[in-house]
């Protein structure tokens, strides 16, 4: 049987003040790591929430984002006629042909310009995106320079108030409504008539960047893909809207995750030294106890295990503390540049159970490295002199 | 009796032990050709000035160190050639240690301290409890089981240490200055207890001490002088 765990637990209690250094340094590292991972997770969650399993997004063949895609009205109509596209009560296909532009508008917080994403949509945009609801005002009137703004865009940009005019694309636009997109990336956008937006930016008529279509059922996606790929008139790619937004999130979430582990790794080295210091102190103050255990018959490996456990307990407590400290960040809304569209996007930090587990596992890794060498020293010290406190 | 004629009956037979330490290029001879026989149920004291090799001899007998040359037969088994791993297991079965500074684990109760050696056995929890209670009863501390070392006097701490040493019923007890940190009254109580363990429980006790009063309690006394074992108190060659 191993050296009883109670020995380690009570030893930690007995020298708790000296344990605090290791505990807090590990807590700090874990808190930073969880914050970074929660940022990446929140960003991804926001983008993925923009997609619906019922919708397909159609881009030019080979295009990876709306920004590099173009679709002619003719192609959009051909796809709209496909029986896999859902119809409204009047039998019209439910889709939105869309264009996206970036406008530089002043931030409320600093007054400096930042990029806002303006999406030109069709009248059916609300019908196909059932998570988007009008909070205030009304939807824009087709053919007019009217705009509806997302709730985060309203909070972020100066002059984004219902009833006011904003100026971009060489003309004034009346804000006629505010919508809530359920925490998705659309909350950071503003929507207007796609044709009016094309005119304002002097883009060719009947040329759009993407088409978002409501499917009769999520399972119809594959059939639509097959039909589109065999139609010689079409050179487009079809994706599930969720898959599309997931792909859009990959680059930045990977970057944040890598950065998170890099920062936590560098900080972790410092924390390991804190843990090493604590554990070396623990070992050197207990040489006589360790030697006694060894004399009684406990093996060196049992001593190593015992001190490793002690280090892991301290690290786990530090990790738990770090997780508790950073937990309130869950749901905190921040904004960053979406590198796919170069526009501001608001998102909420998402501290998920997975992230908490990763944080705690990271703390255990720190505890392992912080405890290993002191534990080895504890087990390797000659017994006879240590018994006499030498 | 401890003489070579009875070596075959001896519980502990030390043959031509040498122990050297290396300090830089200098070799220090701590024990020189030590021979010794100890029988079951003997109470043996080792005396001698500081640096005479008493503790080194005790460490060798306890399997805490290995001799440079020679043999140590304990219950017929030569421990001089054992690996460190084997010695660890051997110690847990055959030796009960009693130290000058008691060496109790301060964060554990008297019960938990005494139970420690039993954790290395296959005894069940209830069997361990029975053994611990019996050991603490023998040393007169049955009512102090849940006390921590800091809540006990020096004499009581040493009695807990003795309970820890006897709880596995080892082949022999090794006492390194067991009364060195105690006042005379407590020292006498500990010596009474050790004597009782020998007389009533047939334990074999080997004790290193500076204290002649303590040494007088032992049936056999050896004197070490510069690493050489002198004749014992009975005038016999060791």
């Amino acid at each position: 049987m191993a050296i009883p765990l109670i020995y380690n637990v009570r030893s930690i209690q007995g020298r708790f003040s000296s344990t605090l250094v290791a505990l807090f340094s590990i807590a700090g590292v874990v808190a930073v790591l969880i914050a970074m991972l929660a940022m990446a997770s929140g960003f991804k969650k926001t983008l993925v929430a923009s997609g619906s399993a019922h919708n397909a997004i159609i881009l030019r063949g080979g295009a990876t984002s709306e920004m590099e895609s173009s679709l002619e009205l003719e192609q959009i109509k051909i796809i709209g006629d496909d029986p896999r596209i859902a119809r409204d009560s009047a039998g019209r296909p439910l889709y939105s042909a869309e264009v996206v532009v970036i406008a530089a508008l002043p931030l409320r917080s600093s007054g400096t310009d930042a990029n806002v994403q303006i999406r030109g949509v069709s009248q059916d945009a609300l019908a196909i995106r059932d998570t988007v609801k009008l909070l205030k005002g009304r939807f824009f009137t087709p053919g007019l320079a009217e705009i509806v703004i997302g709730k985060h865009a309203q909070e972020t940009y100066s002059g984004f108030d219902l009833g006011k005019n904003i100026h971009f694309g060489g003309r004034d636009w009346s804000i006629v409504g505010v919508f809530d997109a359920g925490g998705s990336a659309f909350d950071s956008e503003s929507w207007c008539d796609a044709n009016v937006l094309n005119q304002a930016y002097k883009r060719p008529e009947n040329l759009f960047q993407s088409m978002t279509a409501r499917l009769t059922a999520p399972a119809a996606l594959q059939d639509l893909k097959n039909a589109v790929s065999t139609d010689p008139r079409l050179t487009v790619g079809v994706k599930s809207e969720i898959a599309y937004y997931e792909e859009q999130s990959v680059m930045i979430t990977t970057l944040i995750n890598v950065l998170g582990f890099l920062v936590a790794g560098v900080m972790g080295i410092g924390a390991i030294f804190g843990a090493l210091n604590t554990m070396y102190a623990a070992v050197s103050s207990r040489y006589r106890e360790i030697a006694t255990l060894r004399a009684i018959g406990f093996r060196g490996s049992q001593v190593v295990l015992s001190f490793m456990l002690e280090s892991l307990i301290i690290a786990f407590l530090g990790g738990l503390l770090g997780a508790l400290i950073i937990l309130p960040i869950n749901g905190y809304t921040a904004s960053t540049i979406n590198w796919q569209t170069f526009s501001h996007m608001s998102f909420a930090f998402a501290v998920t159970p997975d992230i908490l587990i990763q944080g705690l596992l990271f703390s255990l890794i720190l505890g392992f490295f912080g405890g290993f060498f002191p534990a080895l020293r504890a087990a390797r010290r000659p017994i006879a002199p240590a018994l006499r406190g030498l | 009796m401890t003489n070579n004629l009875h070596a075959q009956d001896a519980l502990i037979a030390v043959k031509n032990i040498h122990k050297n330490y290396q300090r830089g290029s200098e070799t220090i001879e701590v024990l020189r050709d030590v021979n010794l026989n100890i029988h079951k149920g003997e109470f043996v004291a080792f005396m001698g000035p500081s640096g005479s090799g008493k503790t080194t001899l005790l460490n060798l007998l306890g399997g805490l160190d290995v001799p440079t040359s020679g043999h140590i037969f304990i219950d017929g088994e030569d421990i001089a050639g054992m690996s460190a791993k084997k010695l660890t297991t051997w110690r847990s079965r055959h030796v009960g240690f009693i130290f000058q500074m008691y060496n109790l684990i301060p964060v554990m109760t008297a019960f938990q301290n005494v139970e420690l050696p039993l954790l290395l056995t296959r005894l069940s929890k209830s069997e361990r409890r029975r053994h611990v209670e019996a050991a603490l009863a023998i040393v007169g501390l049955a009512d102090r089981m849940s006390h921590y070392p800091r809540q006990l006097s020096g004499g009581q701490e040493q009695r807990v240490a003795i309970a820890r040493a006897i709880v596995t019923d080892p082949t022999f007890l090794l006492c390194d200055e067991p009364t060195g940190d105690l006042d005379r009254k407590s020292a006498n109580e500990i010596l009474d207890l050790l004597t009782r363990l020998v007389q009533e429980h047939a334990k074999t006790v080997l004790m290193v001490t500076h204290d002649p009063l303590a040494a007088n309690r032992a049936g056999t006394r050896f004197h070490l002088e510069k690493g050489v074992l002198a004749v014992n108190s009975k005038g016999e060659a060791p």
Side-chain angles (χ1 to χ4, degrees):
Chain A
M1 197 182 281
I3 297 168
L5 196 62
I6 196 76
Y7 170 59
N8 306 101
V9 173
R10 292 209 186 124
S11 294
I12 292 170
Q13 287 172 341
R15 51 183 184 87
F16 196 67
S17 54
S18 65
T19 304
L20 286 178
V21 178
L23 207 125
F24 278 119
S25 54
I26 290 170
V29 175
V30 170
V32 168
L33 179 66
I34 289 177
M36 296 290 274
L37 296 182
M39 188 193 292
S41 159
F43 188 86
K44 182 177 180 180
K45 199 174 154 194
T46 300
L47 269 177
V48 172
S50 307
S52 160
H54 276 93
N55 289 349
I57 186 163
I58 297 104
L59 302 174
R60 177 176 58 76
T64 56
S65 78
E66 289 174 285
M67 304 308 277
E68 54 190 59
S69 167
S70 65
L71 291 176
E72 289 172 9
L73 183 61
E74 196 58 34
Q75 292 178 302
I76 290 170
K77 283 186 171 167
I78 292 169
I79 298 166
D81 285 341
D82 190 280
R84 264 75 53 164
I85 306 299
R87 314 272 142 179
D88 66 8
S89 53
R92 290 184 305 113
L94 280 170
Y95 66 81
S96 174
E98 302 187 346
V99 288
V100 169
V101 299
I102 302 297
L105 291 166
L107 290 169
R108 280 187 198 272
S109 56
S110 61
T112 54
D113 282 355
N115 288 342
V116 58
Q117 183 157 305
I118 312 288
R119 181 179 293 275
V121 298
S122 306
Q123 269 297 289
D124 287 331
L126 281 182
I128 60 168
R129 293 194 176 101
D130 42 20
T131 55
V132 182
K133 310 276 182 222
L134 268 177
L135 278 181
K136 291 181 215 164
R138 58 175 174 80
F139 206 54
F140 64 80
T141 310
L144 295 183
E146 291 181 345
I147 193 162
V148 287
I149 55 177
K151 66 174 184 187
H152 285 150
Q154 185 192 24
E155 290 159 7
T156 308
Y157 297 97
S158 180
F160 269 46
D161 296 308
L162 190 60
K164 287 199 173 171
N165 286 347
I166 51 172
H167 187 86
F168 65 88
R171 65 195 301 176
D172 286 335
W173 301 75
S174 305
I175 299 173
V176 295
V178 179
F179 64 81
D180 178 354
S184 70
F186 296 132
D187 274 328
S188 301
E189 296 184 353
S190 296
W191 291 1
C192 61
D193 186 319
N195 289 317
V196 179
L197 192 62
N198 266 345
Q199 286 164 18
Y201 278 81
K202 297 184 176 55
R203 289 182 172 187
E205 262 185 75
N206 299 330
L207 192 66
F208 300 87
Q209 283 168 275
S210 66
M211 171 189 185
T212 301
R214 189 79 169 169
L215 297 165
T216 49
L221 179 73
Q222 193 54 48
D223 290 341
L224 179 65
K225 277 184 183 178
N226 295 342
V228 163
S229 64
T230 53
D231 191 328
R233 296 167 297 174
L234 299 172
T235 50
V236 298
V238 182
K239 278 178 188 165
S240 131
E241 203 183 18
I242 288 180
Y244 171 75
Y245 282 108
E246 242 170 19
E247 285 170 18
Q248 297 299 297
S249 72
V250 166
M251 185 181 156
I252 197 151
T253 51
T254 305
L255 184 81
I256 299 171
N257 278 337
V258 168
L259 205 64
F261 275 105
L262 205 68
V263 170
V266 172
M267 287 178 71
I269 293 170
I272 285 173
F273 278 105
L276 277 171
N277 194 35
T278 299
M279 289 311 295
Y280 272 128
V283 167
S284 64
S285 66
R286 281 147 63 191
Y287 275 137
R288 194 195 291 260
E289 292 171 26
I290 298 162
T292 305
L293 292 168
R294 299 274 285 118
I296 286 172
F298 285 99
R299 292 192 302 275
S301 56
Q302 288 172 309
V303 170
V304 169
L305 183 70
S306 175
F307 276 85
M308 286 299 298
L309 271 176
E310 190 164 323
S311 177
L312 291 175
I313 290 170
I314 294 169
F316 187 77
L317 289 175
L320 215 55
L321 180 67
L324 285 175
I325 288 170
I326 207 67
L327 203 55
I329 205 174
N330 188 36
Y332 173 76
T333 305
S335 67
T336 185
I337 293 283
N338 178 353
W339 287 12
Q340 300 293 338
T341 59
F342 298 103
S343 60
H344 257 241
M345 192 187 98
S346 296
F347 64 94
F349 281 72
V351 182
T352 61
D354 269 7
I355 289 174
L356 290 175
I357 290 169
Q358 283 185 62
L360 291 175
L361 283 177
F362 195 74
S363 72
L364 291 178
I365 291 171
L366 299 180
F368 178 86
F369 285 109
F372 186 67
F373 295 105
L376 269 191
R377 180 186 280 188
R380 285 182 175 172
R381 194 169 162 104
I383 304 170
L387 280 172
R388 302 187 132 221
L390 300 174
Chain B
M1 292 297 288
T2 56
N3 59 52
N4 286 328
L5 290 175
H6 297 102
Q8 285 176 338
D9 308 327
L11 176 72
I12 299 169
V14 175
K15 306 283 184 197
N16 310 113
I17 282 292
H18 288 259
K19 179 67 184 175
N20 303 336
Y21 288 113
Q22 207 68 33
R23 188 184 293 161
S25 57
E26 188 188 1
T27 302
I28 300 163
E29 277 192 291
V30 184
L31 291 176
R32 284 184 285 175
D33 198 28
V34 172
N35 288 280
L36 173 70
N37 291 314
I38 296 167
H39 290 80
K40 186 169 167 49
E42 273 195 287
F43 187 174
V44 180
F46 294 96
M47 295 195 72
S50 294
S52 59
K54 307 184 296 292
T55 299
T56 301
L57 180 60
L58 208 69
N59 289 339
L60 295 180
L61 294 173
L64 296 172
D65 204 350
V66 287
T68 307
S69 65
H71 300 278
I72 302 170
F73 294 96
I74 293 178
D75 222 3
E77 197 174 9
D78 187 2
I79 66 164
M82 278 187 188
S83 67
K85 197 175 172 184
K86 266 194 165 177
L87 270 179
T88 304
T89 310
W90 177 85
R91 281 198 305 271
S92 69
R93 289 179 187 157
H94 296 281
V95 195
F97 290 97
I98 298 161
F99 307 101
Q100 180 179 352
M101 301 303 294
Y102 332 127
N103 291 23
L104 297 177
I105 306 294
V107 295
M108 298 175 106
T109 62
F111 182 94
Q112 288 165 336
N113 267 287
V114 177
E115 190 188 24
L116 271 174
L118 294 176
L119 298 176
L120 296 161
T121 67
R122 290 170 189 266
L123 293 179
S124 68
K125 197 174 177 184
S126 59
E127 286 170 324
R128 291 203 303 269
R129 169 163 281 278
R130 215 170 50 245
H131 279 73
V132 172
E133 286 171 353
L136 282 168
I138 286 172
V139 301
L141 286 177
D143 57 340
R144 296 283 195 276
M145 281 196 294
S146 52
H147 284 57
Y148 287 91
R150 65 175 181 278
Q151 296 169 316
L152 301 171
S153 68
Q156 287 173 327
E157 279 193 76
Q158 192 60 298
R159 281 197 273 161
V160 173
I162 293 171
R164 181 180 63 187
I166 62 172
V167 74
T168 53
D169 192 21
T171 308
F172 62 103
L173 302 181
L174 279 185
C175 314
D176 189 2
E177 302 274 9
T179 57
D181 202 49
L182 298 174
D183 58 54
R184 178 46 56 196
K185 183 173 174 291
S186 302
N188 282 333
E189 285 171 3
I190 293 301
L191 292 167
D192 288 346
L193 179 56
L194 290 174
T195 308
R196 196 153 56 83
L197 286 173
V198 173
Q199 290 172 348
E200 294 175 16
H201 298 271
K203 297 287 175 202
T204 307
V205 176
L206 280 62
M207 175 174 70
V208 160
T209 183
H210 274 106
D211 178 4
L213 289 176
N216 282 338
R217 297 292 194 100
T220 311
R221 292 180 292 282
F222 287 108
H223 289 267
L224 272 146
E225 201 72 49
K226 293 181 181 170
V228 178
L229 199 62
V231 290
N232 69 21
S233 54
K234 295 166 188 170
E236 298 161 335

